[in-house]
Amino acid sequence: MRNLILATLAATTVLAVPAAAQEVGPFTGPRAGVILGYDALRPGDTQDSLIRGDQGSDGFLYGGDLGYDVAFNGLVVGVEGEITGSTGRVTNDPRDPNDFGFGRVKAGRDLYIGGRIGVLAAPTTLIYGKVGYTNARLDLTRDDTRTETGRNFNLDGFRLGAGVEQSLTPRTYAKLEYRYSNYSDARLNYPNGASTGTFGVDTDRHQVAAGVGFRF
């Protein structure tokens, strides 16, 4: 999956270089924005997950993104990166060995890098899909569900998404998108910098995100 993502980003860059001189429009150039929305972490189909319980984890998504887009022949291709956080958390029963002995698992920071490609539905409306790599953390507390342990699970996975972006003015835009992430690799990090080896998990993430931004 990582090789596929890197190939996608490389292809996007190759396309963007000759296209830059072909067309300038509302979806071309560097951009920066803020992201707000809904975030849900759930056990995957195999139930081999770091999020336990039927309720999963629901929270408020917040963060920011940077990107660069190029439009040509009715298409828009681009690269983008995000850093987001979430208020989502799951409270466990520390006596249950399936809950790893931790009183609470909280969603930590989430890093994303990927590419997107879209079509112009109208001169100022873009419909797009996205794919990329995501690295997330789950922060751990002690049995009292309040005291931080300094330990976290570091998760690696992929993200797919689709959305619509509307140009509001020549330099501002708004967007709405759905994103699905799956984390299949994890490791446990300790406060002293040590970590376990990588082990397999199956954790899903569903997000509905709205964003506003500015093009430079």
Side-chain angles (χ1 to χ4, degrees):
M1 176 55 69
R2 293 186 188 178
N3 291 337
L4 173 61
I5 292 168
L6 291 175
T8 301
L9 297 179
T12 300
T13 303
V14 170
L15 288 171
V17 172
Q22 296 182 29
E23 185 175 334
V24 176
F27 301 106
T28 295
R31 58 182 169 86
V34 296
I35 300 169
L36 300 173
Y38 168 70
D39 177 58
L41 279 162
R42 297 286 187 267
D45 291 339
T46 67
Q47 299 297 309
D48 180 10
S49 174
L50 297 174
I51 294 292
R52 299 281 175 174
D54 295 336
Q55 79 281 6
S57 166
D58 297 280
F60 178 68
L61 173 72
Y62 56 90
D65 65 347
L66 295 171
Y68 189 91
D69 300 306
V70 175
F72 64 103
N73 298 329
L75 293 177
V76 173
V77 295
V79 293
E80 60 185 359
E82 291 181 8
I83 179 168
T84 58
S86 172
T87 62
R89 61 192 62 194
V90 172
T91 300
N92 295 321
D93 179 355
R95 297 166 297 180
D96 187 341
N98 290 329
D99 289 337
F100 303 96
F102 302 117
R104 177 169 288 170
V105 180
K106 301 192 301 182
R109 66 104 181 102
D110 182 17
L111 303 177
Y112 166 79
I113 184 170
R116 71 175 189 170
I117 184 168
V119 296
L120 296 178
T124 59
T125 303
L126 175 70
I127 297 175
Y128 61 89
K130 61 192 295 179
V131 60
Y133 163 75
T134 173
N135 174 270
R137 283 183 180 172
L138 299 178
D139 297 322
L140 305 175
T141 64
R142 299 191 188 279
D143 294 357
D144 61 8
T145 74
R146 296 184 302 276
T147 306
E148 296 286 345
T149 66
R151 287 174 285 179
N152 65 76
F153 287 109
N154 192 291
L155 310 179
D156 290 311
F158 69 90
R159 176 170 298 163
L160 302 173
V164 58
E165 182 173 308
Q166 180 67 39
S167 176
L168 303 176
T169 72
R171 290 189 177 273
T172 61
Y173 64 88
K175 65 179 180 178
L176 180 66
E177 64 181 39
Y178 165 77
R179 304 106 69 85
Y180 165 75
S181 303
N182 178 266
Y183 302 99
S184 57
D185 294 319
R187 64 182 183 275
L188 178 60
N189 294 331
Y190 295 92
N192 63 2
S195 66
T196 66
T198 299
F199 54 91
V201 296
D202 183 10
T203 299
D204 291 335
R205 189 169 213 158
H206 302 273
Q207 297 173 325
V208 178
V212 294
F214 182 84
R215 289 191 181 272
F216 301 94

